[in-house]
């Protein structure tokens, strides 16, 4: 697979890898076909993501997408994090092979799941768009 | 150079380097001996003789007659020719074909295409080791069965099929029998007569020959249609100017492979067993394929909780080149059809690793792989949400 140097950098040296004990929100999503599974943990303070970690079972693109996505939402408000698109993740990685674009989609979905988990725990309505 | 500093190639089932002796034999046919073998003047005759010399070598390697060997562009063409050619030549007898669920795509997709042409295909199941049951084959045979296509050894898991018994059944029922021997040549002794094989595919680059050149053995009297029409090459059965240097290389490579088969298998077997023993020490690791009836150069394992492409990339970073049956490493998202057919569970089918040894590998390289792999597996397990706490170090 022909990956950019940035994908390889985030794959070989993933940022924010791990889990957060007593996290405020957690989102786990999977792609049934290729088997990739991504889990995002959030620590939220005053509507802002102060810490984020990930665990990923998947290919180089899936791991790099998780790492980059967590970098992009760290320190952001929940609303800003919600707006992170899979395209933005892929662009930040200097592109992904077309067959691997679903990996960046997985990152977007995992972040949405984690945010909604946080909202539900707070007794708030989950966001849909 | 120490073993830590050099690259280690363990993907010999994908392809092998062309042997020096083979290159030397090919070189004159790329430059001074360039005549078209179909020409009647002297340079053409030189090329023609070289092809016939190579044909003799291929025939001798599998116990065939010279006029039963046809050169092709490789394993895929040979498989397609065998399956489609035999199917269309025998429609007067019926339209039923038997193959297995773990064949190479060159056979499987040719069969799928034939289904669209009105043929009916039975895909035999395999057991957990990837072995076809001769009893299942007997039960699948019908009055209108015209072809049985079953591979000699599997390219992913190395399982060697009971081809002699399959050939006996096919001959007894007077059904054409094709075997894809692409992975087996140079590792398994083959005698097409003893094994009752009617059609056999092989490919040069799997045993030290050049890419883009293979052969199809067609037993004398076997009914088969041609795929390529045009010139009168290959006794009017396969049109197209012959790739003379590659054919010469294929001839030399198969001669060397057969001469060295026994000795090389001994060395490969020792390295294979050491690799298997070492890899199975990693917790939650499973051997795929048959424990004994397998190619001497094939190791295929599945590591639970991790995914194959990531494993390959981290191995690559250490200078170790291998293969996986994981979907994520290919242009399709479907996992290996071979591992799936063997019943490898859905949740772990993506974590496979194939290490295929070759004559260039050394026991030191095996030890280096065994030293590097556990760390890589652990790194990925630490990253995976599927890994239970007891298998994490972080």
């Amino acid at each position: 697979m022909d990956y950019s140097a940035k994908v390889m950098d985030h794959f070989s040296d993933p940022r924010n890898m791990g889990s957060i004990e007593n996290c405020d929100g957690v989102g786990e999503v999977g792609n049934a076909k290729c088997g990739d599974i991504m889990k995002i943990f959030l620590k939220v303070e005053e509507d802002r993501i102060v810490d984020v970690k990930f665990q990923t079972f998947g290919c180089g693109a899936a791991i790099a997408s998780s790492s980059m996505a967590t970098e992009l939402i760290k320190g952001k408000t929940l609303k800003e994090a919600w707006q992170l698109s899979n395209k933005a993740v892929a662009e930040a990685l200097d592109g992904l092979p077309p067959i691997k674009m679903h990996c960046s989609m997985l990152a977007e979905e995992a972040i949405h799941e984690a945010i909604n988990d946080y909202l539900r725990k707070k007794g708030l309505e989950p966001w849909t768009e | 150079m120490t073993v830590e500093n050099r690259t280690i190639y363990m993907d010999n089932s994908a392809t092998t380097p062309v042997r020096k002796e083979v290159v030397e034999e090919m070189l004159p046919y790329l430059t001074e001996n360039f005549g078209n073998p179909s020409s009647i003047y002297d340079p053409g005759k030189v090329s023609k003789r070289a092809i016939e010399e190579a044909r003799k070598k291929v025939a001798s390697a599998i116990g065939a007659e010279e006029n039963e060997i046809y050169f092709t562009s490789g394993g895929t063409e040979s498989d397609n020719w065998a399956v489609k050619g035999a199917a269309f030549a025998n429609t007067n007898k019926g339209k039923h074909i038997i193959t297995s669920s773990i064949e190479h795509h060159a056979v499987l997709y040719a069969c799928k295409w034939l289904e669209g042409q009105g043929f009916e295909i039975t895909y035999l199941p395999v057991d957990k080791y990837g072995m076809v049951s001769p009893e299942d084959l007997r039960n699948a045979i019908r009055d209108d069965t015209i072809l049985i296509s079953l591979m000699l050894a599997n390219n992913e898991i190395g399982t060697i099929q009971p081809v002699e018994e399959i050939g006996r059944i096919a001959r007894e029922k007077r059904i054409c029998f094709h075997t894809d021997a692409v992975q087996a040549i140079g590792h398994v002794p083959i005698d097409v007569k003893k094994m009752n094989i009617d059609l056999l595919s092989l490919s040069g680059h799997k045993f030290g020959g050049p890419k883009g050149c293979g052969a199809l053995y067609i037993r004398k009297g076997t009914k088969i249609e041609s795929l390529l029409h045009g010139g009168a090459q290959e006794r009017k059965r396969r049109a197209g100017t012959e790739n003379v240097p590659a054919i010469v290389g294929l001839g030399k490579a198969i001669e060397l492979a057969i001469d060295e088969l026994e000795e090389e298998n001994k060395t490969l077997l020792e390295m294979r067993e050491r690799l298997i023993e070492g890899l199975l020490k990693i917790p939650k690791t499973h051997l795929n394929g048959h424990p004994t009836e397998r190619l001497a150069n094939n190791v295929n394992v599945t590591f639970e909780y991790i995914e194959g492409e990531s494993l390959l990339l981290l191995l690559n970073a250490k200078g170790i080149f291998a293969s996986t049956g994981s979907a994520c490493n290919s242009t399709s998202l479907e996992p290996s059809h071979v591992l799936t057919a063997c019943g490898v569970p859905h949740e772990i089918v993506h974590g496979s690793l194939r290490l295929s040894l070759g004559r260039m590998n050394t026991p030191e390289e095996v030890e280096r792989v065994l030293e590097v792999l556990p760390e890589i597996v652990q790194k990925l397990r630490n990253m995976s949400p599927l890994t239970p706490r007891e298998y994490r170090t972080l």
Side-chain angles (χ1 to χ4, degrees):
Chain A
M1 203 55 71
D2 201 7
Y3 288 136
S4 69
K6 200 158 271 177
V7 170
M8 286 311 295
D9 175 32
H10 275 262
F11 165 72
S12 321
D13 178 23
R15 280 65 146 179
N16 311 309
M17 197 268 285
S19 59
I20 300 175
E21 293 292 321
N22 306 317
C23 63
D24 299 314
V26 60
E28 183 172 331
V29 292
N31 181 318
K33 218 173 177 192
C34 75
D36 287 356
I37 296 171
M38 208 177 278
K39 199 169 180 179
I40 300 264
F41 304 84
L42 299 179
K43 198 82 192 158
V44 182
E45 279 174 21
E46 292 174 2
D47 213 35
R48 196 168 285 276
I49 296 166
V50 291
D51 197 11
V52 52
K53 298 272 187 208
F54 81 88
Q55 287 180 336
T56 293
F57 165 89
C59 60
I63 291 169
S65 294
S66 320
S67 168
M68 180 55 87
T70 54
E71 282 288 271
L72 291 171
I73 63 167
K74 207 179 206 176
K76 297 276 170 30
T77 64
L78 289 175
K79 203 78 201 170
E80 286 166 339
W82 181 272
Q83 281 161 355
L84 179 75
S85 70
N86 77 303
K87 272 190 177 170
V89 174
E91 274 166 24
L93 287 167
D94 291 341
L96 284 172
I99 188 95
K100 300 286 190 173
M101 279 305 283
H102 69 277
C103 296
S104 59
M105 184 57 86
L106 221 49
E108 182 187 315
E109 288 168 3
I111 291 168
H112 285 182
E113 283 294 317
I115 291 173
N116 276 340
D117 181 54
Y118 167 79
L119 295 172
R120 276 189 217 102
K121 280 177 180 159
K122 289 274 172 198
L124 301 167
E125 275 294 301
W127 294 341
T128 51
E129 61 180 78
Chain B
M1 197 187 279
T2 62
V3 72
E4 289 82 10
N5 299 329
R6 67 169 185 250
T7 59
I8 299 175
Y9 180 78
M10 284 198 187
D11 200 16
N12 289 275
S13 293
T15 196
T16 56
V18 182
R19 296 182 62 165
K20 283 195 177 70
E21 307 93 311
V22 171
V23 174
E24 277 165 24
E25 199 104 340
M26 289 169 69
L27 274 176
Y29 296 93
L30 288 160
T31 51
E32 64 258 40
N33 299 337
F34 62 87
N36 187 323
S38 296
S39 305
I40 60 161
Y41 42 69
D42 287 351
K45 286 183 199 161
V46 171
S47 293
K48 182 80 184 158
R49 274 200 296 273
I51 291 175
E52 294 317 313
E53 195 50 42
R55 204 183 305 280
K56 255 189 227 170
K57 291 174 183 172
V58 174
S60 153
I62 59 170
E65 306 294 327
E66 281 163 59
N67 59 9
E68 293 175 316
I69 302 299
Y70 296 82
F71 291 111
T72 66
S73 63
T76 295
E77 184 188 327
S78 297
D79 282 345
N80 268 264
W81 186 7
V83 173
K84 294 176 187 171
F88 281 107
N90 288 287
T91 47
N92 61 324
K93 275 179 67 188
K95 283 191 148 190
H96 179 237
I97 295 166
I98 301 171
T99 187
S100 85
S101 49
I102 62 160
E103 296 300 306
H104 189 274
H105 284 143
V107 167
L108 282 181
Y109 290 171
C111 286
K112 289 268 175 230
W113 182 82
L114 284 171
E115 279 180 314
Q117 308 298 313
F119 288 85
E120 202 182 326
I121 319 287
T122 297
Y123 299 91
L124 293 177
V126 291
D127 65 14
K128 65 177 178 177
Y129 302 122
M131 193 74 91
V132 166
S133 144
E135 204 43 47
D136 285 350
L137 172 66
R138 273 188 192 281
N139 294 335
I141 292 172
R142 312 187 321 206
D143 290 344
D144 61 341
T145 305
I146 53 170
L147 174 68
I148 296 167
S149 179
L150 291 170
M151 68 200 329
L152 212 155
N154 184 267
N155 49 310
E156 283 190 42
I157 54 172
T159 299
I160 299 169
Q161 301 294 346
V163 164
E164 207 166 322
E165 199 175 343
I166 291 164
R168 209 165 29 240
I169 296 169
R171 188 58 54 88
E172 196 183 294
K173 302 278 183 185
R174 309 183 92 177
I175 299 166
C176 180
F177 172 42
H178 164 244
T179 193
D180 171 353
V182 166
Q183 291 292 336
I185 299 279
H187 297 294
V188 181
I190 297 172
D191 183 330
V192 287
K193 291 195 172 68
K194 198 172 145 210
M195 293 169 153
N196 290 310
I197 294 165
D198 297 307
L199 299 162
L200 178 143
S201 308
L202 61 91
S203 180
H205 73 110
K206 304 291 187 180
F207 47 83
K211 293 171 184 63
C213 187
L216 180 65
Y217 156 77
I218 305 177
R219 188 180 60 83
K220 208 173 162 189
T222 303
K223 286 173 74 181
I224 185 164
E225 290 289 339
S226 296
L227 291 188
L228 300 182
H229 302 96
Q233 292 90 353
E234 295 298 288
R235 298 186 299 290
K236 297 186 182 172
R237 288 185 125 168
R238 197 267 184 188
T241 301
E242 298 90 338
N243 184 351
V244 183
I247 289 171
V248 169
L250 169 66
K252 182 67 182 176
I254 204 164
E255 184 181 56
L256 291 169
I258 300 303
D259 282 354
E260 296 167 7
L261 186 148
E262 211 172 312
E263 201 177 325
E264 198 172 295
N265 264 359
K266 259 188 224 163
T267 321
L268 292 175
L269 205 60
E270 274 175 28
M271 290 195 283
R272 182 193 81 181
E273 289 306 294
R274 171 70 188 126
L275 261 178
I276 292 174
E277 179 208 4
L279 291 174
L280 292 183
K281 281 187 184 153
I282 300 174
K284 295 286 176 186
T285 302
H286 312 277
L287 179 69
N288 297 312
H290 202 282
T292 55
E293 297 302 304
R294 72 186 299 138
L295 292 172
N297 73 331
N298 176 287
V299 176
N300 190 313
V301 290
T302 302
F303 302 105
E304 288 192 38
Y305 319 125
I306 64 171
E307 192 278 327
E309 190 207 76
S310 299
L311 191 63
L312 290 195
L313 291 172
L314 290 177
L315 279 172
N316 179 69
K318 297 272 186 188
I320 298 167
F321 313 130
S323 174
T324 176
S326 170
C328 277
N329 191 46
S330 66
T331 49
S332 142
L333 294 180
E334 299 296 336
S336 155
H337 68 285
V338 176
L339 296 176
T340 306
C342 293
V344 177
H346 177 74
E347 60 275 18
I348 65 169
V349 73
H350 291 276
S352 70
L353 174 72
R354 180 185 73 182
L355 296 164
S356 45
L357 298 156
R359 55 191 309 279
M360 313 286 280
N361 293 124
T362 63
E364 290 74 32
E365 290 181 345
V366 166
E367 295 309 319
R368 171 74 180 148
V369 169
L370 290 177
E371 179 192 319
V372 163
L373 252 168
E375 292 167 24
I376 291 178
V377 169
Q378 194 56 55
K379 178 177 177 169
L380 291 170
R381 282 185 175 168
N382 285 341
M383 215 181 285
S384 168
L386 302 175
T387 312
R389 201 172 286 272
E390 62 264 38
Y391 298 111
R392 289 181 186 278
T393 53
L394 286 177

